[in-house]
Every structure is written in C-alpha cells, then in structure tokens.
Amino acid sequence: MTAKLAFMQARDPLNPDGALSSHVIREEITGSWQRCLQNGLDPCGVPVDAVVSDQTLKVARQARERLMRLVRPELELLSSQIAGTNFMCAFADETGVVLDTIMDTEFSESACGRSIRPGSVWREEQRGTNALGLALLSGRSSMVMGGEHFFSCHGGVSCVAVPILASDGTVVGLLDASSEVAERQFHTKALVALAATNVENRLFAEAHRDDYILQFHQRAEYLATQSVGLIAVDETGRITGANRMSARLLTGMHLATVSRFDDLFRGDFRAVLRALARGETAQLWERSNAAFFARLHPASLQPLVPPRWRMQEIPAISRIAPQEGTLVLDDDMARDCLRVAKRAASLGQAVCIRGAAGTGKTRLSEAVHRHVHGSGPLIAVDCRRLRRATDGGAAAHAILQGCVAPDPRPDPRPDPRNEGGGTLVLEHIGALDELGSGALAELLDTLREAILAQHWCVLATDRTRGEETAPRPKAVDDLRMLALELPPLAARTDFHKLARSMLADLSPDHRLSVKAVRRLAEFDRRDNLNDLRHHLQVLAASCPAGILRDGQVDRFLAVQDTADQVCPRCRDTSIRRQRCLEIRRMYRVCQCNVALTARRLGVSRNTIYAHLKD
C-alpha cells in the first residue's frame, strides 16, 4: 500500500460518526479533525464564509498600523521568493482575521483565492483544519497539505502559517503562504519562518528600546543573521525580555525562572557591557559552560546610554551653543580666574568654577573650552536635574559615560562622541554628593578615563551662598579638581565696560552716559549679570535711541526696585498706603508714562510725581 493510498483511506471515514485512522497522519492534523467534528462541522459540506465588516476591518488595521508597516515588506519579499507557484501570501491578526494579502492572478481567480481575502476569518471552529487556524491555536508553525484540510473543497491547496510573537511571547499576528504546488511547501515553510523572525526581531528592538539588547550565538559568523538569540537587560543587569531563539540556544535553561544576566552567564555584567559598547564581540559562558559569542544589537549601540536617555531627550543634558557678545574680563580677579582655568585645562586638570548665580560661570567655561578644544562639542549636564531624571547612581554614570565615550557606529551624522574630544561641564556639581558613595566613585572613574583617554576637558560649576563660604562638594575633592571662584558683579572693577558692552550687544542704537553707568552700579543685583542684562533690556525697550541718562535709569528702573514700597508721606496711614501702591502699580502698567498714568487714575501729573519720590 502506497503512503498516498493509506492517507486517502485514513481520510475516507472522516464523517461525524466515523473513526479516525491516524497511523499515517500527523497527530496535530488528527487532533484538529477531531475538534472540528466536535464543533459540528461536516467535512463533506461547505465552510462558512466568515468575514468581518468593512468598519471592523478598518479599525483592526488602524490598531495594528505599526505592525503592518513591519509586515508588508516581508510579505513583498516572500511573494517574490515563491513567485511562479500559483501562490498567495497573507497576514492575519491574533484573532485569525486576514488584514493584508498578496497573490498572483491565477490564485486570485481560484475559489480559494476568493475566500482568502482581507476581512476573512480563518479560525479552526469556522473554517475547519487550516494552517492559519492551527498556528493560531497552537502558537507554533503549522503546515497543512492538500487533503489534510478538514473540508474537501480545500484539498487542492497546501498552506504554511507561522505565528509572530511579541517580546512577551504572546501571538500578535500570523504570516501565511498558500499554493497549489505542494512539493515546495517545506522550502516555503523555511521562508515564512524567516520572515516571521525578521518581524519579531524588529518588534523586540522596539519594545526594548529603553534597554540594552544583546544578540548571541554559538558561532560568531551567525551574529550578522536573524538566527541570533536576543536578550534585553536594563542598566542594572535585570533581564527584561528574550526572543524565542534564545530559548532554543540556551538549552537546559528556563528563561522564565531567571531574572538577571548573572543568572545566565558568568562574568561581570558591566564589564561585558563596556566591551560590547566599544563595538567588540565578547565571549559569554553560560552557567552550564556552553560558550557563546555576543554583540550589542545595532539599536543598542549607544554606549552605556539607554535610548530613552539620548542627549536630546534628557532635560539634564544639553549641548551649549556658542554665546553671542564680547566676553569682558578687565577685572583682575576675573581675568586671573580665566588665566588659571585655561592653563589647568590645557594640562588635563579638571577645574571647578565657583560663584554666585549670574557671575559668568558658563561664559568662562565656554572661553576655556574654545582655548582647549576649539570648535569641539561643549556638553552641559545639570547635576540637580540629573538626579531627578535618572534612577540612581548607575543611571547617572551611564549618562555621563555616554556623553564622553566614543561611538562605534559608522554614522555620518554629527555626534559629540565622534568629534575627537570636547568639554563636559558639570553644572551644580555639589548635587552629585547626594549619590551613593559607590555610584559616585564609579562616575568619577568614568570622568578620569575621559580626561586621560578621550582628551575630554572636564569643567564644573558650583554656586556659593552669598558671603558665606559654602563647603566644597565631595565630588570636587574626589576628582581632584582645581577650584576657582568668580567675584560677584558688585566686586568687579570693570562694571562700566561690562554694562556698555552688554548694551552694545543688545541694542547698538543706545549708549550709556557716565552718570547712568554710576546709577546702574548702585543697584543691588542678586543674579548679577543676569539682572544687569534685564535692566539694560528694559531701558533699551523703554527709551528712544540715543544716550541713556541717569534720569531715565531712575524713571524706568528705580520704581521697579521699590514696587512694594510707598513714599514717605504715605507710610503711616493704611488708606494712603494702598493709594500709593495703586499709583505705583498703574505707573508700571503704563510703561512709566506719567501723563498716561494720570489720565488713567484721574489725578494730576504732580500727584503722580509726588508718589514716585522716595
């Protein structure tokens, strides 16, 4: 008896009352037949043409738009690989509804081609034994050849279906290839499986874009193929996901029972990660002594920086653009601070520039940077926001190392790590003292390596507290930084040059008289240069072009500094006090225009002048 005859004889008794002969039929097929019979399907009848509505199909496609964009290129490639065999390729969602198809003309004109269309449902309980329904039910690749279909009307077609798994192992879709040529189905099955793997790996990379993805295999040459195992780990070494190939490669290991990298492989996780981040191929040893070769997945080649911490996405990290305007340092203390900082940075010495807010620490850092690295990148890290933007010291270490480590990717786009060094400014470095001692030590080791090996210049800024001498941050001492201090604006001897230079940058049409400069110097400015810039902006906006005089300074600025004060004659009476405050408020609203203020309040201009006197 030939195998074909034995098969046909096994299928003959397929009826509601018949017994199933399974000695030549695969167990999964006989099991499917049995379920179909239990569901009341008639193998000699016609399957229900189950189709969802156009609106339901539209909603299903929209909900899986991203997945369909990944699947469509694979369908097109698959169709070109099996073309000429009276074929059809399809993609169905996790409920068995076909969402997309590609088929040749001959197949589209067949009865099977007309039934497999977008919106058609191919679950086993409705369509009988078929590859899509079987794969959906089992979660594994399935192949149904001709007469293995439950309904005899499907006997002229052979089909292969492979499920697409998400990173958590759930089925998110299925790829199907059907043809009237049964001889090539085993070859087709391999092609469909490869297409599904390609989609799964892309889904895995997207799902774990916030983690490091390690790809590994027993043979190094296979690392460039799609047959690699993928394991996602976070910055602490915790395993967050693994693809299905990982389970096949790690024989004897149950990934569901392990939670950390160290549970799977021997060796220090961070040491392995550093090697991989440099673009190296590392060798991993499984706990059972099996050897693997590993690389970082291309999506993870951001050295020690998870994608969610890319520089442009982290509020704590920014690239400082060149500052406009002339840097004025005619004060002896400020000039000496710049001179020492330049010399120290040129020798590879880290420098901490201290000073109150607005004393010019960032401008001085930029001047040092231009002296040492010219047009290289100038990166600023606000250490206060860094503590809030990360999950502890390890993450802070990762971000800072990512800023200064070389990038192994062949990427033509500008990247600060590809420019042969630059300057890293740690703003408010004192905030790093709140990190744990171990995390801080690791972070400082990274910075030392950056200075010695990557030719990076490391500067830091920290704020003093008024006249009080604030304690030196521990990070400054541990990094052996040379500490310098910029004087406050009130202590600088070059105020007149600062004011005139700043005004020239803001408005070339305005100039300051000698008395106006003296009057400006008398103001108390807590934010130093920042407050001076604001005052000059107010004067330039309020006064016509030309020379700015001391009377205009008093008119447009003095009232702002005394906005909550009252004139001497109104201090003792609450009613007069409220009236005085209202006059001063309206004066500011009217842009310091006395005539307009008088009209608004219905009083004389002399009354306004009287209340503006100190």
Side-chain angles (χ1 to χ4, degrees):
M1 180 186 298
T2 65
K4 182 175 180 180
L5 179 59
F7 175 83
M8 295 306 296
Q9 289 181 350
R11 195 183 192 287
D12 282 341
L14 185 58
N15 57 69
D17 300 318
L20 299 181
S21 174
S22 60
H23 63 283
V24 293
I25 305 176
R26 289 177 291 144
E27 183 178 351
E28 63 175 343
I29 299 298
T30 58
S32 175
W33 284 0
Q34 189 66 60
R35 289 190 299 271
C36 292
L37 290 174
Q38 291 172 354
N39 287 328
L41 300 183
D42 181 4
C44 299
V46 178
V48 176
D49 189 19
V51 181
V52 300
S53 66
D54 291 343
Q55 180 61 29
T56 302
L57 176 61
K58 180 179 179 181
V59 171
R61 283 174 163 172
Q62 290 175 344
R64 299 159 183 82
E65 182 178 1
R66 177 55 187 159
L67 177 58
M68 291 186 67
R69 284 203 298 267
L70 295 177
V71 168
R72 183 65 187 189
E74 296 299 332
L75 280 182
E76 294 175 351
L77 178 60
L78 192 59
S79 67
S80 66
Q81 292 171 331
I82 62 176
T85 59
N86 190 12
F87 74 95
M88 185 275 310
C89 298
F91 166 66
D93 66 14
E94 70 280 6
T95 66
V97 178
V98 175
L99 301 183
D100 196 8
T101 61
I102 297 178
M103 61 183 74
D104 62 13
T105 304
E106 186 177 356
F107 194 92
S108 64
E109 294 175 350
S110 66
C112 191
R114 289 190 294 271
S115 62
I116 306 177
R117 61 188 188 277
S120 58
V121 183
W122 284 84
R123 290 190 288 269
E124 186 183 77
E125 62 268 23
Q126 295 167 298
R127 299 279 186 168
T129 305
N130 68 91
L132 263 178
L134 199 54
L136 183 61
L137 190 66
S138 66
R140 302 188 304 271
S141 301
S142 298
M143 182 168 60
V144 177
M145 307 285 288
E148 291 181 334
H149 286 89
F150 182 80
F151 289 104
S152 57
C153 60
H154 296 155
V157 176
S158 297
C159 53
V160 171
V162 179
I164 298 172
L165 303 184
S167 61
D168 60 357
T170 59
V171 176
V172 294
L174 303 104
L175 289 180
D176 177 272
S178 301
S179 174
E180 293 183 352
V181 181
E183 288 75 11
R184 296 184 57 183
Q185 285 305 95
F186 286 97
H187 174 66
T188 300
K189 183 178 180 180
L191 295 176
V192 177
L194 179 59
T197 299
N198 290 340
V199 176
E200 286 180 357
N201 289 349
R202 291 187 177 94
L203 287 175
F204 190 90
E206 287 191 357
H208 294 280
R209 59 182 178 273
D210 294 344
D211 302 313
Y212 307 108
I213 302 175
L214 281 66
Q215 54 187 43
F216 64 97
H217 200 277
Q218 293 100 331
R219 300 178 61 175
E221 61 269 26
Y222 277 51
L223 291 176
T225 70
Q226 293 293 336
S227 60
V228 294
L230 298 178
I231 290 182
V233 293
D234 64 14
E235 63 273 6
T236 67
R238 182 176 63 88
I239 296 176
T240 59
N243 70 344
R244 70 165 110 185
M245 184 59 71
S246 298
R248 299 176 188 173
L249 294 175
L250 297 171
T251 55
M253 295 294 294
H254 299 286
L255 291 177
T257 64
V258 297
S259 60
R260 299 190 58 79
F261 177 88
D262 297 337
D263 297 334
L264 280 178
F265 302 105
R266 292 182 294 174
D268 179 63
F269 166 69
R270 297 207 64 82
V272 171
L273 195 56
R274 287 195 186 97
L276 296 175
R278 292 192 293 267
E280 300 176 6
T281 298
Q283 191 163 18
L284 302 178
W285 295 90
E286 192 188 37
R287 288 295 178 181
S288 61
N289 290 329
F292 297 93
F293 295 94
R295 290 179 190 163
L296 271 186
H297 188 274
S300 295
L301 281 178
Q302 298 276 344
L304 296 182
V305 185
R308 69 170 178 267
W309 290 339
R310 287 174 186 151
M311 202 177 72
Q312 65 270 22
E313 300 173 359
I314 311 170
I317 301 179
S318 60
R319 187 164 181 163
I320 301 178
Q323 301 292 309
E324 298 180 356
T326 305
L327 178 63
V328 176
L329 287 175
D330 280 0
D331 177 78
D332 289 341
M333 294 175 61
R335 185 167 53 245
D336 189 62
C337 188
L338 176 62
R339 178 182 58 81
V340 174
K342 284 182 176 180
R343 183 180 300 172
S346 298
L347 297 174
Q349 169 67 54
V351 178
C352 179
I353 305 168
R354 304 189 72 189
T359 50
K361 299 186 290 294
T362 301
R363 292 298 304 273
L364 188 68
S365 299
E366 185 191 3
V368 174
H369 163 71
R370 286 200 306 266
H371 175 73
V372 178
H373 284 294
S375 59
L378 176 59
I379 306 297
V381 178
D382 189 337
C383 298
R384 301 170 304 176
R385 302 177 72 184
L386 186 64
R387 289 184 293 114
R388 295 192 294 270
T390 63
D391 300 324
H397 162 74
I399 291 177
L400 292 180
Q401 188 171 38
C403 287
V404 300
D407 189 350
R409 295 174 301 167
D411 192 343
R413 294 172 297 178
D415 190 298
R417 293 163 293 185
N418 289 333
E419 299 178 23
T423 301
L424 182 68
V425 181
L426 306 176
E427 297 179 337
H428 307 284
I429 191 175
L432 292 180
D433 286 355
E434 297 185 19
L435 295 177
S437 58
L440 181 60
E442 189 176 9
L443 185 151
L444 297 177
D445 286 342
T446 300
L447 297 178
R448 294 188 192 101
E449 293 175 5
I451 297 171
L452 296 175
Q454 307 300 333
H455 308 292
W456 274 76
C457 170
V458 176
L459 305 176
T461 66
D462 196 38
R463 181 172 178 172
T464 59
R465 300 171 183 172
E467 299 299 327
E468 174 188 357
T469 302
R472 284 164 59 101
K474 184 176 184 296
V476 172
D477 292 331
D478 289 350
L479 195 55
R480 299 183 182 89
M481 303 190 84
L482 173 66
L484 303 171
E485 186 161 341
L486 276 173
L489 183 59
R492 292 183 60 162
T493 58
D494 58 352
F495 178 85
H496 60 293
K497 290 188 177 181
L498 273 171
R500 289 195 168 103
S501 175
M502 193 175 292
L503 181 63
D505 293 332
L506 290 172
S507 176
D509 296 331
H510 289 86
R511 290 170 300 179
L512 287 168
S513 68
V514 175
K515 290 184 178 181
V517 172
R518 291 174 183 169
R519 184 69 183 96
L520 282 171
E522 295 172 0
F523 285 85
D524 182 23
R525 296 182 175 87
R526 290 182 303 173
D527 284 339
N528 296 284
L529 295 174
N530 297 333
D531 284 346
L532 176 60
R533 183 179 183 85
H534 167 66
H535 288 162
L536 293 176
Q537 286 174 328
V538 171
L539 290 174
S542 305
C543 303
I547 298 177
L548 299 177
R549 304 191 181 277
D550 56 332
Q552 293 168 309
V553 173
D554 288 332
R555 178 180 177 184
F556 294 103
L557 296 181
V559 70
Q560 296 185 10
D561 284 357
T562 60
D564 296 329
Q565 301 178 12
V566 295
C567 62
R569 66 176 183 169
C570 297
R571 291 174 183 168
D572 300 328
T573 306
S574 60
I575 295 178
R576 294 176 64 88
R577 182 183 181 87
Q578 292 299 322
R579 178 63 172 167
C580 186
L581 290 174
E582 174 62 18
I583 289 175
R584 287 169 174 260
R585 186 193 68 81
M586 185 58 68
Y587 181 67
R588 295 196 307 274
V589 171
C590 295
Q591 302 295 318
C592 302
N593 187 314
V594 175
L596 181 58
T597 305
R599 288 197 300 272
R600 290 279 185 90
L601 295 176
V603 298
S604 67
R605 284 180 291 179
N606 287 336
T607 300
I608 303 299
Y609 281 124
H611 285 279
L612 294 179
K613 293 180 180 179
D614 292 332

